[in-house]
Amino acid sequence: MDLTLTPAEAAFRTEIRQFLDSELTADVRRASRLNTSFLAEPEIGLAWQSKVNQRGWVAPSWPEEFGGPGWSLAQRYIFDQECEMADEPHFRGASIKMIAPVLMRYGTPEQQDHYLPRILSGEHFWSQGYSEPGSGSDLASLKCKAVREGDEYVINGSKIWSTLAHRSTHMFALVRTNSEGRKQQGITFILIDLSLPGIEIAPITSICGTHEFNQVFFDNVRVPVAERIGEEGQGWEIAKYLLEFERGGSFAGGLLRAMHCRLLRIASRPATDGTRPIDDPLIAARFAEIATDIDANDMLELSSMSKVQSGGNPGPVPSSTMKIERSRIRQSITELTVTVLGPAALEWEPQRPLYDLPETSEAEEDIRAAAAIYFNTRSQSIFGGTNEIQLEIIARALFS
Ligand SMILES: Cc1cc2nc3c(=O)[nH]c(=O)nc-3n(C[C@H](O)[C@H](O)[C@H](O)COP(=O)(O)OP(=O)(O)OC[C@H]3O[C@@H](n4cnc5c(N)ncnc54)[C@H](O)[C@@H]3O)c2cc1C
Protein backbone atom coordinates (compact mmCIF):
# COMPACT_ATOMS: atom_id res chain seq x y z
CA MET A 1 0.00 0.00 0.00
CA ASP A 2 1.48 3.38 -1.05
CA LEU A 3 0.75 5.89 1.71
CA THR A 4 2.46 8.91 0.09
CA LEU A 5 0.07 11.72 -0.86
CA THR A 6 -0.09 12.64 -4.55
CA PRO A 7 0.10 16.39 -5.39
CA ALA A 8 -3.70 16.37 -5.94
CA GLU A 9 -4.25 14.77 -2.54
CA ALA A 10 -1.92 17.25 -0.85
CA ALA A 11 -3.92 20.08 -2.49
CA PHE A 12 -7.14 18.49 -1.25
CA ARG A 13 -5.71 18.38 2.28
CA THR A 14 -4.87 22.09 2.05
CA GLU A 15 -8.44 22.85 0.93
CA ILE A 16 -9.87 20.92 3.90
CA ARG A 17 -7.48 22.63 6.33
CA GLN A 18 -8.46 26.05 5.01
CA PHE A 19 -12.15 25.23 5.40
CA LEU A 20 -11.68 23.97 8.97
CA ASP A 21 -9.47 26.95 9.88
CA SER A 22 -12.04 29.44 8.71
CA GLU A 23 -15.25 27.71 9.82
CA LEU A 24 -14.44 25.91 13.07
CA THR A 25 -14.57 28.70 15.63
CA ALA A 26 -12.56 28.63 18.85
CA ASP A 27 -15.82 28.16 20.80
CA VAL A 28 -16.79 25.08 18.82
CA ARG A 29 -13.29 23.58 19.16
CA ARG A 30 -13.43 24.20 22.90
CA ALA A 31 -16.89 22.56 23.11
CA SER A 32 -15.46 19.50 21.33
CA ARG A 33 -12.49 19.26 23.69
CA LEU A 34 -14.82 19.57 26.71
CA ASN A 35 -17.37 17.10 25.39
CA THR A 36 -17.50 14.17 27.81
CA SER A 37 -19.62 11.98 25.55
CA PHE A 38 -18.89 10.11 22.31
CA LEU A 39 -21.26 12.34 20.31
CA ALA A 40 -21.44 16.14 20.34
CA GLU A 41 -24.26 17.97 22.09
CA PRO A 42 -26.93 18.27 19.34
CA GLU A 43 -26.94 22.09 19.27
CA ILE A 44 -23.17 22.10 18.64
CA GLY A 45 -23.24 19.12 16.27
CA LEU A 46 -26.22 20.25 14.20
CA ALA A 47 -24.94 23.82 13.76
CA TRP A 48 -21.63 22.40 12.51
CA GLN A 49 -23.44 19.86 10.31
CA SER A 50 -25.26 22.70 8.58
CA LYS A 51 -21.94 24.41 7.70
CA VAL A 52 -20.39 21.18 6.40
CA ASN A 53 -23.56 20.41 4.45
CA GLN A 54 -23.31 23.76 2.63
CA ARG A 55 -19.97 22.52 1.25
CA GLY A 56 -21.51 19.14 0.30
CA TRP A 57 -19.12 17.28 2.62
CA VAL A 58 -21.46 16.03 5.31
CA ALA A 59 -21.60 12.38 4.27
CA PRO A 60 -18.14 11.41 2.94
CA SER A 61 -19.01 7.71 2.63
CA TRP A 62 -22.33 8.11 0.75
CA PRO A 63 -22.48 7.44 -3.00
CA GLU A 64 -22.82 10.58 -5.12
CA GLU A 65 -26.33 9.64 -6.30
CA PHE A 66 -27.57 10.08 -2.72
CA GLY A 67 -25.66 13.29 -1.96
CA GLY A 68 -22.15 12.07 -1.12
CA PRO A 69 -19.15 14.10 -2.38
CA GLY A 70 -17.83 11.30 -4.63
CA TRP A 71 -14.45 11.18 -2.91
CA SER A 72 -11.81 8.50 -3.26
CA LEU A 73 -10.87 6.43 -0.23
CA ALA A 74 -7.70 8.53 0.16
CA GLN A 75 -9.74 11.75 0.20
CA ARG A 76 -12.12 10.35 2.82
CA TYR A 77 -9.18 9.28 4.95
CA ILE A 78 -7.53 12.72 4.67
CA PHE A 79 -10.82 14.49 5.44
CA ASP A 80 -11.40 12.36 8.53
CA GLN A 81 -7.88 12.87 9.88
CA GLU A 82 -8.03 16.64 9.35
CA CYS A 83 -11.49 17.00 10.96
CA GLU A 84 -10.38 15.08 14.03
CA MET A 85 -7.10 16.95 14.43
CA ALA A 86 -9.06 20.23 14.22
CA ASP A 87 -11.49 19.10 17.00
CA GLU A 88 -14.56 18.83 14.79
CA PRO A 89 -17.73 18.09 16.83
CA HIS A 90 -18.85 14.45 16.46
CA PHE A 91 -22.23 14.55 14.79
CA ARG A 92 -22.17 11.64 12.30
CA GLY A 93 -23.95 9.18 14.56
CA ALA A 94 -27.05 7.07 14.06
CA SER A 95 -28.33 9.28 11.22
CA ILE A 96 -25.50 9.52 8.69
CA LYS A 97 -23.53 6.39 9.55
CA MET A 98 -26.23 3.87 10.49
CA ILE A 99 -29.74 4.39 9.15
CA ALA A 100 -28.57 5.98 5.87
CA PRO A 101 -26.69 2.87 4.55
CA VAL A 102 -29.75 0.79 5.48
CA LEU A 103 -32.10 3.10 3.57
CA MET A 104 -29.77 2.97 0.55
CA ARG A 105 -29.70 -0.84 0.56
CA TYR A 106 -33.18 -1.84 1.79
CA GLY A 107 -35.35 1.32 1.55
CA THR A 108 -37.92 1.97 -1.19
CA PRO A 109 -37.23 4.88 -3.60
CA GLU A 110 -39.96 6.85 -1.75
CA GLN A 111 -38.26 6.24 1.64
CA GLN A 112 -34.86 7.21 0.18
CA ASP A 113 -36.23 10.39 -1.43
CA HIS A 114 -38.00 11.42 1.76
CA TYR A 115 -35.40 10.63 4.40
CA LEU A 116 -31.90 10.93 2.90
CA PRO A 117 -32.01 14.69 2.10
CA ARG A 118 -33.44 15.41 5.58
CA ILE A 119 -30.63 13.37 7.17
CA LEU A 120 -28.06 15.41 5.24
CA SER A 121 -29.57 18.73 6.30
CA GLY A 122 -29.98 17.67 9.94
CA GLU A 123 -33.76 18.29 9.83
CA HIS A 124 -34.15 14.67 10.90
CA PHE A 125 -31.99 13.40 13.75
CA TRP A 126 -32.16 9.65 14.48
CA SER A 127 -31.73 7.39 17.47
CA GLN A 128 -31.34 3.62 17.58
CA GLY A 129 -34.02 1.41 19.14
CA TYR A 130 -32.43 -2.02 19.40
CA SER A 131 -31.83 -2.79 23.13
CA GLU A 132 -34.59 -3.55 25.60
CA PRO A 133 -34.56 -4.30 29.32
CA GLY A 134 -33.49 -7.98 29.26
CA SER A 135 -32.47 -7.92 25.57
CA GLY A 136 -28.95 -6.57 25.09
CA SER A 137 -26.41 -9.11 23.87
CA ASP A 138 -29.24 -11.55 23.31
CA LEU A 139 -30.93 -9.00 21.08
CA ALA A 140 -33.09 -11.55 19.25
CA SER A 141 -35.06 -12.11 22.48
CA LEU A 142 -36.60 -8.62 22.11
CA LYS A 143 -40.28 -8.26 23.01
CA CYS A 144 -41.42 -4.79 21.92
CA LYS A 145 -44.46 -5.79 19.89
CA ALA A 146 -45.96 -4.49 16.65
CA VAL A 147 -49.39 -5.80 15.66
CA ARG A 148 -50.65 -5.03 12.17
CA GLU A 149 -54.08 -3.36 11.94
CA GLY A 150 -54.93 -2.44 8.33
CA ASP A 151 -52.21 -0.14 7.01
CA GLU A 152 -50.75 0.56 10.45
CA TYR A 153 -48.65 -1.24 13.06
CA VAL A 154 -49.67 -0.75 16.71
CA ILE A 155 -46.53 -0.75 18.87
CA ASN A 156 -46.35 -1.59 22.59
CA GLY A 157 -43.28 -2.12 24.76
CA SER A 158 -40.06 -0.28 25.49
CA LYS A 159 -36.50 0.35 24.30
CA ILE A 160 -33.57 1.22 26.55
CA TRP A 161 -30.16 2.95 26.36
CA SER A 162 -31.49 4.92 23.38
CA THR A 163 -28.71 7.46 22.88
CA LEU A 164 -29.97 11.03 22.33
CA ALA A 165 -33.58 9.87 21.81
CA HIS A 166 -34.65 12.93 23.85
CA ARG A 167 -33.12 15.17 21.16
CA SER A 168 -34.09 13.03 18.15
CA THR A 169 -36.93 13.42 15.69
CA HIS A 170 -37.00 9.72 14.71
CA MET A 171 -35.99 6.26 15.88
CA PHE A 172 -35.22 3.16 13.82
CA ALA A 173 -36.33 0.17 15.82
CA LEU A 174 -36.57 -3.58 15.85
CA VAL A 175 -40.02 -4.83 16.79
CA ARG A 176 -41.56 -8.27 17.20
CA THR A 177 -44.24 -8.98 14.61
CA ASN A 178 -44.33 -12.75 15.18
CA SER A 179 -43.65 -14.88 18.26
CA GLU A 180 -43.63 -18.27 16.53
CA GLY A 181 -40.66 -20.16 15.07
CA ARG A 182 -37.03 -19.06 15.55
CA LYS A 183 -36.88 -15.82 17.52
CA GLN A 184 -34.81 -14.12 14.78
CA GLN A 185 -37.55 -14.72 12.21
CA GLY A 186 -40.29 -12.68 13.87
CA ILE A 187 -38.40 -9.35 13.93
CA THR A 188 -39.27 -6.36 11.74
CA PHE A 189 -37.32 -3.14 11.13
CA ILE A 190 -39.44 0.02 11.42
CA LEU A 191 -39.01 3.79 11.37
CA ILE A 192 -40.82 5.69 14.14
CA ASP A 193 -41.56 9.41 14.24
CA LEU A 194 -40.86 10.26 17.90
CA SER A 195 -43.55 12.96 17.98
CA LEU A 196 -46.34 10.35 17.60
CA PRO A 197 -48.91 10.06 20.43
CA GLY A 198 -48.21 7.28 22.98
CA ILE A 199 -44.41 7.76 23.17
CA GLU A 200 -42.76 8.66 26.48
CA ILE A 201 -39.01 9.29 26.72
CA ALA A 202 -37.52 8.92 30.22
CA PRO A 203 -33.94 10.11 30.93
CA ILE A 204 -31.07 7.93 32.26
CA THR A 205 -27.91 9.70 33.48
CA SER A 206 -24.68 7.93 32.54
CA ILE A 207 -21.66 7.23 34.78
CA CYS A 208 -19.87 10.24 33.24
CA GLY A 209 -22.62 12.57 34.47
CA THR A 210 -24.35 13.37 31.17
CA HIS A 211 -27.90 12.69 30.10
CA GLU A 212 -27.18 10.79 26.92
CA PHE A 213 -29.41 7.73 27.21
CA ASN A 214 -33.10 7.16 27.69
CA GLN A 215 -35.73 4.52 28.13
CA VAL A 216 -38.46 4.97 25.52
CA PHE A 217 -41.97 3.62 26.19
CA PHE A 218 -44.53 2.84 23.47
CA ASP A 219 -48.20 2.71 24.41
CA ASN A 220 -50.43 1.86 21.42
CA VAL A 221 -48.27 3.91 19.05
CA ARG A 222 -49.66 3.73 15.50
CA VAL A 223 -47.01 3.67 12.76
CA PRO A 224 -47.93 3.46 9.05
CA VAL A 225 -46.89 0.18 7.36
CA ALA A 226 -45.15 2.41 4.76
CA GLU A 227 -42.52 3.12 7.44
CA ARG A 228 -41.39 -0.52 7.50
CA ILE A 229 -37.97 -1.20 5.98
CA GLY A 230 -37.84 -4.37 3.90
CA GLU A 231 -40.34 -7.16 4.43
CA GLU A 232 -42.12 -8.11 7.63
CA GLY A 233 -39.79 -10.56 9.43
CA GLN A 234 -36.64 -9.36 7.57
CA GLY A 235 -35.56 -7.19 10.51
CA TRP A 236 -32.79 -9.47 11.81
CA GLU A 237 -30.94 -9.49 8.47
CA ILE A 238 -31.25 -5.68 8.23
CA ALA A 239 -30.21 -5.21 11.87
CA LYS A 240 -27.00 -7.20 11.30
CA TYR A 241 -26.19 -5.21 8.15
CA LEU A 242 -26.57 -1.96 10.13
CA LEU A 243 -24.42 -3.26 12.99
CA GLU A 244 -21.48 -3.84 10.64
CA PHE A 245 -21.56 -0.09 9.87
CA GLU A 246 -21.97 0.80 13.56
CA ARG A 247 -18.97 -1.35 14.50
CA GLY A 248 -16.57 -0.72 11.66
CA GLY A 249 -18.11 1.18 8.76
CA SER A 250 -16.05 4.35 9.03
CA PHE A 251 -12.65 5.64 10.03
CA ALA A 252 -11.88 6.08 13.72
CA GLY A 253 -8.10 6.37 13.40
CA GLY A 254 -8.20 10.17 13.07
CA LEU A 255 -9.97 10.48 16.39
CA LEU A 256 -7.53 8.09 18.09
CA ARG A 257 -4.59 10.07 16.73
CA ALA A 258 -6.15 13.38 17.85
CA MET A 259 -6.72 11.96 21.36
CA HIS A 260 -3.14 10.67 21.40
CA CYS A 261 -1.78 14.13 20.42
CA ARG A 262 -3.84 15.70 23.18
CA LEU A 263 -2.37 13.20 25.65
CA LEU A 264 1.13 14.20 24.48
CA ARG A 265 0.29 17.88 25.07
CA ILE A 266 -0.92 17.09 28.59
CA ALA A 267 2.05 14.82 29.37
CA SER A 268 4.53 17.42 28.09
CA ARG A 269 3.42 20.19 30.47
CA PRO A 270 6.07 20.74 33.14
CA ALA A 271 4.99 20.37 36.79
CA THR A 272 5.98 23.06 39.35
CA ASP A 273 9.32 21.27 39.88
CA GLY A 274 9.98 21.37 36.12
CA THR A 275 9.58 17.61 35.51
CA ARG A 276 7.37 16.41 32.65
CA PRO A 277 5.31 13.19 32.85
CA ILE A 278 6.40 12.16 29.33
CA ASP A 279 10.03 11.99 30.55
CA ASP A 280 9.07 9.12 32.87
CA PRO A 281 10.23 6.01 30.93
CA LEU A 282 7.17 3.97 31.96
CA ILE A 283 4.77 6.64 30.69
CA ALA A 284 6.83 7.15 27.52
CA ALA A 285 6.79 3.39 26.83
CA ARG A 286 3.02 3.14 27.34
CA PHE A 287 2.56 6.18 25.09
CA ALA A 288 4.67 4.55 22.35
CA GLU A 289 2.74 1.27 22.62
CA ILE A 290 -0.52 3.13 22.02
CA ALA A 291 1.01 4.91 19.00
CA THR A 292 1.87 1.53 17.47
CA ASP A 293 -1.65 0.25 18.11
CA ILE A 294 -3.07 3.32 16.33
CA ASP A 295 -0.86 2.67 13.30
CA ALA A 296 -1.98 -0.97 13.17
CA ASN A 297 -5.63 0.07 13.49
CA ASP A 298 -5.17 2.54 10.61
CA MET A 299 -4.01 -0.24 8.28
CA LEU A 300 -6.97 -2.40 9.25
CA GLU A 301 -9.36 0.49 8.63
CA LEU A 302 -7.87 1.36 5.25
CA SER A 303 -8.14 -2.20 3.96
CA SER A 304 -11.70 -2.57 5.25
CA MET A 305 -12.84 0.81 3.95
CA SER A 306 -11.57 -0.05 0.48
CA LYS A 307 -14.27 -2.76 0.47
CA VAL A 308 -16.93 -0.20 1.42
CA GLN A 309 -15.61 2.12 -1.29
CA SER A 310 -16.26 -0.53 -3.91
CA GLY A 311 -19.89 -0.89 -2.74
CA GLY A 312 -19.58 -3.68 -0.16
CA ASN A 313 -20.04 -3.75 3.58
CA PRO A 314 -17.10 -4.13 5.99
CA GLY A 315 -17.78 -7.83 6.74
CA PRO A 316 -18.24 -9.30 10.22
CA VAL A 317 -14.62 -10.18 11.04
CA PRO A 318 -13.01 -6.82 10.14
CA SER A 319 -15.84 -4.80 11.69
CA SER A 320 -15.76 -6.77 14.96
CA THR A 321 -11.95 -6.61 15.08
CA MET A 322 -12.02 -2.83 14.55
CA LYS A 323 -14.72 -2.45 17.20
CA ILE A 324 -12.52 -4.26 19.75
CA GLU A 325 -9.35 -2.40 18.78
CA ARG A 326 -10.91 1.06 18.74
CA SER A 327 -12.46 0.60 22.16
CA ARG A 328 -9.24 -0.84 23.60
CA ILE A 329 -7.12 2.05 22.25
CA ARG A 330 -9.57 4.76 23.36
CA GLN A 331 -9.70 3.26 26.84
CA SER A 332 -5.89 3.07 26.99
CA ILE A 333 -5.54 6.74 26.04
CA THR A 334 -8.09 8.03 28.57
CA GLU A 335 -6.63 5.78 31.28
CA LEU A 336 -3.11 7.08 30.66
CA THR A 337 -4.46 10.64 30.61
CA VAL A 338 -5.93 10.37 34.13
CA THR A 339 -2.74 8.61 35.30
CA VAL A 340 -0.66 11.51 33.98
CA LEU A 341 -2.94 14.14 35.54
CA GLY A 342 -2.94 12.33 38.87
CA PRO A 343 -5.24 13.11 41.84
CA ALA A 344 -6.21 16.54 40.42
CA ALA A 345 -8.30 14.73 37.80
CA LEU A 346 -10.41 13.08 40.51
CA GLU A 347 -12.18 16.29 41.54
CA TRP A 348 -15.67 15.83 40.08
CA GLU A 349 -17.33 18.66 38.15
CA PRO A 350 -21.09 18.03 38.00
CA GLN A 351 -22.01 20.77 35.46
CA ARG A 352 -23.00 19.49 31.98
CA PRO A 353 -22.22 20.44 29.32
CA LEU A 354 -18.78 21.45 30.58
CA TYR A 355 -18.40 24.12 27.90
CA ASP A 356 -21.12 26.17 29.65
CA LEU A 357 -18.65 26.84 32.49
CA PRO A 358 -16.57 30.05 32.31
CA GLU A 359 -13.38 29.59 30.29
CA THR A 360 -10.11 28.99 32.18
CA SER A 361 -6.66 27.86 31.03
CA GLU A 362 -6.47 24.85 28.70
CA ALA A 363 -4.49 22.96 31.37
CA GLU A 364 -7.28 23.43 33.95
CA GLU A 365 -9.95 22.51 31.42
CA ASP A 366 -8.06 19.29 30.55
CA ILE A 367 -8.14 18.36 34.25
CA ARG A 368 -11.84 19.21 34.55
CA ALA A 369 -12.84 16.93 31.65
CA ALA A 370 -10.42 13.99 32.08
CA ALA A 371 -12.26 11.79 34.60
CA ALA A 372 -15.65 12.18 32.89
CA ILE A 373 -14.10 11.30 29.50
CA TYR A 374 -12.36 8.33 31.12
CA PHE A 375 -15.68 7.04 32.51
CA ASN A 376 -17.50 7.64 29.24
CA THR A 377 -14.86 5.67 27.36
CA ARG A 378 -15.68 2.58 29.46
CA SER A 379 -18.85 2.34 27.39
CA GLN A 380 -16.90 1.83 24.14
CA SER A 381 -16.47 -1.87 24.83
CA ILE A 382 -20.19 -2.25 25.64
CA PHE A 383 -22.26 -0.38 23.03
CA GLY A 384 -22.71 -1.74 19.54
CA GLY A 385 -22.24 -5.21 21.09
CA THR A 386 -19.79 -5.95 23.91
CA ASN A 387 -16.23 -7.04 23.21
CA GLU A 388 -17.07 -10.57 24.41
CA ILE A 389 -19.81 -10.74 21.77
CA GLN A 390 -17.40 -9.42 19.08
CA LEU A 391 -14.97 -12.22 19.98
CA GLU A 392 -17.77 -14.75 19.59
CA ILE A 393 -18.66 -13.33 16.15
CA ILE A 394 -15.01 -13.56 15.03
CA ALA A 395 -14.64 -17.10 16.38
CA ARG A 396 -17.85 -18.25 14.74
CA ALA A 397 -16.84 -16.77 11.36
CA LEU A 398 -13.30 -18.17 11.46
CA PHE A 399 -13.92 -21.61 12.90
CA SER A 400 -17.30 -22.66 11.52
C1 LIG B 1 -22.94 4.37 25.87
C2 LIG B 1 -23.93 3.38 25.36
C3 LIG B 1 -24.81 3.76 24.35
C4 LIG B 1 -25.76 2.87 23.88
N1 LIG B 1 -26.63 3.31 22.92
C5 LIG B 1 -27.59 2.47 22.50
C6 LIG B 1 -28.55 2.93 21.56
O1 LIG B 1 -28.54 4.09 21.13
N2 LIG B 1 -29.51 2.09 21.15
C7 LIG B 1 -29.57 0.79 21.58
O2 LIG B 1 -30.44 0.06 21.13
N3 LIG B 1 -28.69 0.32 22.51
C8 LIG B 1 -27.71 1.14 22.97
N4 LIG B 1 -26.81 0.69 23.91
C9 LIG B 1 -26.98 -0.65 24.48
C10 LIG B 1 -25.89 -1.63 24.08
O3 LIG B 1 -26.03 -2.03 22.76
C11 LIG B 1 -25.97 -2.79 25.09
O4 LIG B 1 -25.55 -2.28 26.34
C12 LIG B 1 -25.09 -3.97 24.69
O5 LIG B 1 -25.61 -4.61 23.55
C13 LIG B 1 -24.94 -4.99 25.83
O6 LIG B 1 -26.18 -5.38 26.33
P1 LIG B 1 -26.49 -5.33 27.90
O7 LIG B 1 -26.09 -3.98 28.40
O8 LIG B 1 -27.91 -5.74 28.09
O9 LIG B 1 -25.51 -6.37 28.58
P2 LIG B 1 -25.70 -7.96 28.68
O10 LIG B 1 -26.07 -8.48 27.34
O11 LIG B 1 -26.60 -8.26 29.83
O12 LIG B 1 -24.23 -8.43 29.00
C14 LIG B 1 -23.66 -8.35 30.31
C15 LIG B 1 -22.26 -8.99 30.26
O13 LIG B 1 -22.36 -10.38 29.89
C16 LIG B 1 -21.54 -10.64 28.74
N5 LIG B 1 -22.20 -11.61 27.86
C17 LIG B 1 -23.52 -11.63 27.51
N6 LIG B 1 -23.75 -12.66 26.66
C18 LIG B 1 -22.56 -13.29 26.46
C19 LIG B 1 -22.15 -14.39 25.67
N7 LIG B 1 -23.01 -15.06 24.90
N8 LIG B 1 -20.83 -14.74 25.70
C20 LIG B 1 -19.94 -14.07 26.47
N9 LIG B 1 -20.28 -13.01 27.25
C21 LIG B 1 -21.56 -12.62 27.23
C22 LIG B 1 -21.44 -9.32 28.04
O14 LIG B 1 -20.29 -9.27 27.21
C23 LIG B 1 -21.35 -8.35 29.21
O15 LIG B 1 -20.03 -8.28 29.70
C24 LIG B 1 -25.85 1.56 24.41
C25 LIG B 1 -24.96 1.17 25.44
C26 LIG B 1 -24.03 2.06 25.92
C27 LIG B 1 -23.13 1.62 27.03
Side-chain angles (χ1 to χ4, degrees):
M1 207 183 308
D2 182 4
L3 297 177
T4 323
L5 296 189
T6 64
E9 286 161 358
F12 174 78
R13 185 178 61 185
T14 306
E15 187 189 354
I16 302 296
R17 279 188 185 166
Q18 282 166 348
F19 168 75
L20 294 169
D21 275 351
S22 67
E23 300 294 341
L24 260 179
T25 61
D27 281 355
V28 175
R29 288 175 202 245
R30 175 173 175 264
S32 287
R33 285 198 306 274
L34 288 179
N35 178 30
T36 56
S37 188
F38 58 99
L39 287 173
E41 284 286 322
E43 50 269 58
I44 302 282
L46 287 172
W48 176 241
Q49 173 167 347
S50 152
K51 279 191 185 175
V52 187
N53 190 37
Q54 282 161 28
R55 277 302 273 264
W57 292 348
V58 122
S61 59
W62 290 20
E64 262 178 298
E65 58 180 302
F66 293 120
W71 285 339
S72 66
L73 182 67
Q75 286 175 304
R76 285 176 43 205
Y77 179 75
I78 293 165
F79 180 72
D80 177 79
Q81 300 263 327
E82 294 301 321
C83 287
E84 292 296 356
M85 291 309 279
D87 291 326
E88 182 200 47
H90 296 130
F91 66 93
R92 295 183 182 84
S95 306
I96 291 174
K97 287 186 180 172
M98 291 194 235
I99 188 59
V102 164
L103 284 164
M104 290 173 202
R105 163 99 182 247
Y106 293 98
T108 61
E110 292 73 27
Q111 288 168 336
Q112 292 170 351
D113 289 347
H114 179 71
Y115 285 118
L116 292 173
R118 290 171 173 82
I119 289 175
L120 284 177
S121 70
E123 182 189 339
H124 286 176
F125 190 70
W126 289 79
S127 56
Q128 179 182 28
Y130 275 23
S131 308
E132 294 181 12
S135 298
S137 302
D138 183 17
L139 184 58
S141 67
L142 64 91
K143 294 190 176 62
C144 184
K145 205 169 174 180
V147 176
R148 187 159 177 173
E149 284 182 13
D151 56 4
E152 287 179 328
Y153 284 108
V154 182
I155 303 182
N156 280 289
S158 105
K159 293 287 169 186
I160 198 165
W161 314 124
S162 319
T163 303
L164 293 179
H166 59 304
R167 314 295 284 277
S168 302
T169 55
H170 293 75
M171 170 180 270
F172 54 86
L174 298 175
V175 288
R176 182 155 298 288
T177 40
N178 191 342
S179 303
E180 280 152 28
R182 280 182 69 231
K183 57 190 181 182
Q184 286 85 351
Q185 282 166 352
I187 295 173
T188 296
F189 195 105
I190 196 137
L191 311 180
I192 303 174
D193 178 339
L194 288 174
S195 65
L196 287 172
I199 298 179
E200 191 200 326
I201 302 179
I204 303 174
T205 302
S206 79
I207 192 175
C208 74
T210 49
H211 170 199
E212 57 187 40
F213 323 111
N214 304 274
Q215 184 164 2
V216 183
F217 297 92
F218 301 95
D219 180 12
N220 286 317
V221 176
R222 305 187 83 88
V223 176
V225 170
E227 299 294 1
R228 187 184 72 208
I229 300 282
E231 299 302 320
E232 195 171 292
Q234 202 187 356
W236 190 246
E237 173 194 327
I238 302 172
K240 284 197 298 181
Y241 180 77
L242 182 143
L243 280 172
E244 281 184 26
F245 285 92
E246 180 177 6
R247 290 168 183 163
S250 56
F251 294 112
L255 170 65
L256 300 176
R257 219 168 275 288
M259 290 174 75
H260 195 243
C261 286
R262 185 178 183 188
L263 168 60
L264 180 60
R265 259 197 337 269
I266 293 172
S268 303
R269 279 191 198 120
T272 38
D273 63 359
T275 58
R276 304 181 322 153
I278 196 67
D279 295 329
D280 176 333
L282 285 178
I283 289 181
R286 188 75 197 98
F287 182 82
E289 260 172 23
I290 297 173
T292 314
D293 286 343
I294 294 175
D295 285 344
N297 176 71
D298 256 3
M299 293 304 109
L300 192 61
E301 288 190 347
L302 279 166
S303 65
S304 167
M305 289 312 111
S306 63
K307 259 204 218 160
V308 177
Q309 176 87 2
S310 48
N313 47 332
V317 173
S319 60
S320 290
T321 309
M322 283 188 280
K323 168 75 173 50
I324 294 172
E325 278 309 285
R326 289 168 181 183
S327 58
R328 193 175 65 78
I329 298 169
R330 271 179 92 147
Q331 290 174 349
S332 305
I333 296 173
T334 56
E335 193 176 327
L336 190 55
T337 305
V338 287
T339 305
V340 162
L341 289 170
L346 296 179
E347 197 178 326
W348 189 251
E349 169 52 66
Q351 161 74 38
R352 295 290 179 276
L354 283 176
Y355 62 76
D356 272 352
L357 288 167
E359 204 167 336
T360 70
S361 70
E362 197 171 315
E364 275 181 42
E365 293 197 330
D366 283 339
I367 292 173
R368 194 180 269 168
I373 296 175
Y374 164 84
F375 282 120
N376 187 270
T377 314
R378 301 297 97 195
S379 68
Q380 297 279 325
S381 44
I382 302 173
F383 66 69
T386 66
N387 279 9
E388 292 76 22
I389 296 299
Q390 306 309 320
L391 288 170
E392 263 198 31
I393 292 171
I394 294 170
R396 229 179 283 130
L398 295 182
F399 301 126
S400 63

